[in-house]
Amino acid sequence: MSLRYLTAKLAQQIDEELMNQAGAFSIDQLMELAGLACAQALARVYNKNEYPNVLVCCGPGNQGGDGLVAARHLGMFGYNPVIFMPKPGSKDIYKRLKAQCDNMDIKTIPPSNDTSLLQDSLSSSNVILDAVFGFSFKGPIRTPFDSALPLLTNSGLPIVSVDIPSGWDVEEGNVEGVGLQPDVLVSLTAPKLGVRSFRGRHFVGGRFIPKSLEEKFELNLPEYPGSDQIVELAVKE
Amino acid sequence: MSLRYLTAKLAQQIDEELMNQAGAFSIDQLMELAGLACAQALARVYNKNEYPNVLVCCGPGNQGGDGLVAARHLGMFGYNPVIFMPKPGSKDIYKRLKAQCDNMDIKTIPPSNDTSLLQDSLSSSNVILDAVFGFSFKGPIRTPFDSALPLLTNSGLPIVSVDIPSGWDVEEGNVEGVGLQPDVLVSLTAPKLGVRSFRGRHFVGGRFIPKSLEEKFELNLPEYPGSDQIVELAVKE
């Protein structure tokens, strides 16, 4: 039985089942574990001595929330994260997650109509955590991200993408050719259909799916080692 | 500068500062990370092949909530946790954390006036996670825990205590002599005054204290390794 790659609809359904009354999880819990997994995957591949400066790029949705949690944990791990969040989420949880980063003295690039501040930050960054768009992304890429994504690509920096590389169609992949090309991918709960062709280092995180839910959706998740919050998938031929 | 051991009042104050409007943390987040740290500390010392059956003893307060989170993560790690929670907490978060354990098919010992069910569970357990009383405990030990704690002690099983061994005075330690004698202690955020004399394996967990708060309260926390959620303290002479 091989690992199941999820449609956008199925990923949404799993999230809903985790958080409905029966599933009983709060978004705070799931985001905390998801963001921690992202931070640990980045730390596994890019050590803090060689790659201390992490540009954490956050979109306005749940994906951005995962990014903020990851930024905080990266700060705890001894990295110097900087947040690029040109379109802050409006939900209460984003404001709280952002305040937690502020309390850690994690800098955020001020919103701006020109891209020079982002370019400055890129020039002093060692690695990018891409938490811009998640599994509910539907193109086309809108402003301000239409101008930001090419800058991330052109920076030549290594990229760790969360769940689905930003700009990729969740089910079809990088069909428009405008998406990021990450070196590392962290799929949350289970990989999405669009990343079937991904050939970089691929981790799965979000170790909170009850066995009954895994069986119901025939996820065939890989076995996480020990008490780790991430598991690396074997490289595909 | 040495690690600070906290009064009960100071521990309470730190929790409040983390969760007030400025601190911005939800109890869901802090409990998730605290419980994960407890589960990871237990897994570090007692591997799941030799110690698969963990009796997770939960009190009615926040400590019990940490225990429920730990039980769920232990289940994820491949242990067989069983919950002893004779006096369930009334807060909404306990009900949700308990439902999350139910969804993982983690068994709970049914409430009962006699102790035979607890004794049965002890006889098939390999290790105890003690999350009965936390830093807000004030003696004397009330029913049903007055009869339960001696059974835990008499079982001869290894015990991992969370924050303060149950039955110990938070600041004075095991002065009444009725407290558990754990082999392993997981202090959350920072150790409490009452465990100064503890000589077993001692971990600190709760990797979420911003530097500014650490400095304000002069905690002098140990450095966590890598992306770990726990750090073991050196054995004291």
Side-chain angles (χ1 to χ4, degrees):
Chain A
M1 302 280 274
S2 60
L3 178 62
R4 182 168 190 181
Y5 283 68
L6 306 180
T7 60
K9 189 179 167 191
L10 204 51
Q12 177 65 29
Q13 200 178 339
I14 291 172
D15 255 25
E16 281 167 10
E17 293 222 8
L18 287 166
M19 287 191 281
N20 69 15
Q21 203 178 350
F25 277 102
S26 67
I27 194 166
D28 293 51
Q29 290 180 280
L30 300 181
M31 231 174 229
E32 195 62 37
L33 294 175
L36 177 60
C38 296
Q40 289 184 330
L42 186 144
R44 179 80 60 87
V45 181
Y46 300 103
N47 77 69
K48 70 180 171 192
N49 297 317
E50 284 177 80
Y51 300 89
N53 301 324
V54 186
L55 186 68
V56 180
C57 301
C58 297
N62 283 351
Q63 181 93 344
D66 297 337
L68 290 172
V69 173
R72 170 163 45 83
H73 285 290
L74 287 168
M76 283 287 166
F77 300 168
Y79 290 83
N80 305 315
V82 169
I83 296 168
F84 173 63
M85 194 181 189
K87 198 179 163 192
S90 56
K91 287 189 195 165
D92 177 62
I93 189 168
Y94 298 101
K95 293 173 188 165
R96 288 190 285 108
L97 292 172
K98 176 63 164 58
Q100 291 160 25
C101 288
D102 293 344
N103 290 342
M104 297 261 305
D105 296 321
I106 295 172
K107 291 200 181 73
T108 300
I109 302 177
S112 166
N113 284 332
D114 79 58
T115 57
S116 61
L117 292 174
L118 172 59
Q119 284 177 296
D120 287 350
S121 276
L122 283 166
S123 66
S124 59
S125 295
N126 305 112
V127 54
I128 293 168
L129 182 65
D130 158 32
V132 177
F133 298 127
F135 67 73
S136 54
F137 172 73
K138 288 235 193 325
I141 302 167
R142 291 174 191 81
T143 185
F145 297 104
D146 55 347
S147 55
L149 291 193
L151 293 177
L152 302 184
T153 295
N154 293 338
S155 73
L157 293 171
I159 297 177
V160 179
S161 283
V162 178
D163 218 26
I164 188 85
S166 292
W168 290 30
D169 183 273
V170 179
E171 299 181 359
E172 301 299 329
N174 195 16
V175 282
E176 303 285 341
V178 295
L180 299 182
Q181 294 286 3
D183 305 86
V184 178
L185 179 65
V186 189
S187 289
L188 296 174
T189 70
K192 311 305 168 291
L193 275 174
V195 304
R196 278 168 302 182
S197 64
F198 179 74
R199 291 292 178 272
R201 291 187 70 175
H202 190 174
F203 296 85
V204 176
R207 195 176 183 178
F208 44 61
I209 305 286
K211 203 74 193 168
S212 55
L213 207 61
E214 184 185 344
E215 285 167 2
K216 174 177 175 179
F217 290 107
E218 298 174 341
L219 300 180
N220 304 312
L221 294 174
E223 194 175 341
Y224 285 74
S227 61
D228 285 5
Q229 294 301 295
I230 49 173
V231 51
E232 184 164 6
L233 301 181
V235 176
K236 287 173 282 193
E237 297 305 313
Chain B
M1 301 282 272
S2 59
L3 179 60
R4 182 169 190 180
Y5 284 68
L6 306 181
T7 60
K9 189 179 166 192
L10 204 51
Q12 177 64 32
Q13 200 178 339
I14 291 171
D15 255 25
E16 281 167 8
E17 294 223 7
L18 285 166
M19 289 192 280
N20 68 16
Q21 204 179 349
F25 277 102
S26 67
I27 193 165
D28 293 51
Q29 290 180 282
L30 299 182
M31 234 175 225
E32 195 61 38
L33 295 175
L36 177 60
C38 295
Q40 290 183 330
L42 186 144
R44 179 80 58 88
V45 181
Y46 300 104
N47 76 70
K48 70 180 172 192
N49 297 317
E50 286 178 77
Y51 301 88
N53 301 323
V54 186
L55 186 67
V56 181
C57 301
C58 298
N62 282 352
Q63 181 92 342
D66 296 337
L68 290 172
V69 172
R72 171 164 44 82
H73 284 291
L74 287 168
M76 283 286 165
F77 300 168
Y79 290 83
N80 304 314
V82 169
I83 296 168
F84 174 61
M85 194 181 189
K87 199 179 164 192
S90 56
K91 285 189 197 164
D92 176 63
I93 189 168
Y94 297 102
K95 293 173 186 166
R96 288 190 285 107
L97 293 173
K98 177 63 166 56
Q100 291 160 25
C101 288
D102 294 344
N103 290 342
M104 296 262 305
D105 295 321
I106 296 172
K107 291 201 180 73
T108 300
I109 302 176
S112 165
N113 284 331
D114 79 54
T115 57
S116 61
L117 292 174
L118 172 59
Q119 284 177 296
D120 287 351
S121 275
L122 283 166
S123 68
S124 59
S125 295
N126 305 114
V127 55
I128 294 168
L129 182 65
D130 158 33
V132 177
F133 298 127
F135 67 73
S136 53
F137 172 73
K138 288 236 191 327
I141 303 167
R142 291 174 192 82
T143 186
F145 297 103
D146 55 348
S147 57
L149 290 194
L151 293 175
L152 303 185
T153 295
N154 294 337
S155 73
L157 293 171
I159 297 177
V160 179
S161 283
V162 179
D163 218 27
I164 188 88
S166 291
W168 291 29
D169 183 273
V170 179
E171 297 181 0
E172 302 298 328
N174 195 15
V175 283
E176 304 285 342
V178 296
L180 299 181
Q181 294 287 3
D183 305 87
V184 178
L185 179 65
V186 189
S187 290
L188 296 175
T189 68
K192 311 305 168 291
L193 273 174
V195 304
R196 276 167 304 182
S197 64
F198 179 73
R199 290 293 177 271
R201 290 186 69 175
H202 190 174
F203 296 84
V204 176
R207 194 176 185 178
F208 44 61
I209 305 287
K211 204 73 194 166
S212 55
L213 207 59
E214 184 185 343
E215 285 168 1
K216 174 176 174 180
F217 290 106
E218 298 175 343
L219 301 180
N220 303 313
L221 294 174
E223 194 175 341
Y224 285 74
S227 62
D228 286 4
Q229 294 301 295
I230 49 174
V231 52
E232 185 164 7
L233 302 181
V235 175
K236 286 173 285 193
E237 298 306 315

